[in-house]
Amino acid sequence: MNLIVAVDNNWAIGNKNKLLNSIPEDMKFFRTTTTNKVVIMGRKTLESFPNGLPLKKRVNIVISANPDYHVKDAIVVPSVDAAMAEAKKYNTEDIYVIGGESIYRQMLPYCDVAHVTRMDYCYEADTWFPNLDADEEWMVVAESEERTYFDLEYRFVLYARKSSREKMQGYIESHCME
Ligand SMILES: NC(=O)c1ccc[n+]([C@@H]2O[C@H](COP(=O)([O-])OP(=O)(O)OC[C@H]3O[C@@H](n4cnc5c(N)ncnc54)[C@H](OP(=O)(O)O)[C@@H]3O)[C@@H](O)[C@H]2O)c1
């Protein structure tokens, strides 16, 4: 199972239920990586999307403890365990945890690979991702060149769980970026 996230220098990911920035190339990367795949998200992240609608051409699994919460074209599940049970129906390499903070934190232990867009800036924020550079279980396996969007520098970094590296080698090789 994979995750995909964009973080700033403090590993911040959001503010007031919005992303910190929208870099067109990063949005494209997110779209290309997750299209025709399965995405798992928290209820707040779904509601942060345009019109609160699920992502097209993807299986959307949304976690909410509210039993009355229903969303057209999404599978709503009541817990992380239920999301994992639903995810088991698919190939593990095709599953992407897409946030937000609460879901990343709870599902990180199940993830083998993390696609992290590192933005070289410190934004005002109220949600964060765990610092993978400070986590001994994770390592950087690939990194893009630095890129720029106006005056913002950013790069795509691929992290892998050390214990999953061998198992994920094929996936890692097919997802390396220049
Ligand atoms: N930078 C990025 O790549 C990125 C990606 C995604 C999101 N974000 C940002 O992250 C922020 C949102 O993060 P967040 O942590 O506030 O919200 P979130 O994780 O998206 O959603 C939280 C909601 O998920 C449900 N939930 C979480 N754990 C659950 C559990 N164990 N059982 C049942 N339901 C559970 C609850 O919904 P109910 O209240 O309905 O029960 C909870 O309120 C936003 O600012 C968003 O823009 C950033």
Side-chain angles (χ1 to χ4, degrees), residues 6 13 17-18 43 45 63-65 78 98 100-102 104 106:
I13 63 166
N17 215 34
K18 289 198 174 116
R43 190 258 310 160
T45 290
I63 306 177
S64 168
I98 63 162
E101 174 177 346
S102 73
Y104 285 135
Q106 294 175 82

Side-chain angles (χ1 to χ4, degrees), residues 1 3 97 102-114 129-132 135 137-138 161:
M1 193 155 91
L3 68 85
V97 175
S102 73
I103 298 304
Y104 285 135
R105 287 190 189 280
Q106 294 175 82
M107 301 199 78
L108 183 63
Y110 306 113
C111 291
D112 303 301
V113 167
F129 187 88
N131 179 347
L132 293 186
D135 186 332
E137 292 180 13
W138 289 84
R161 180 179 291 286

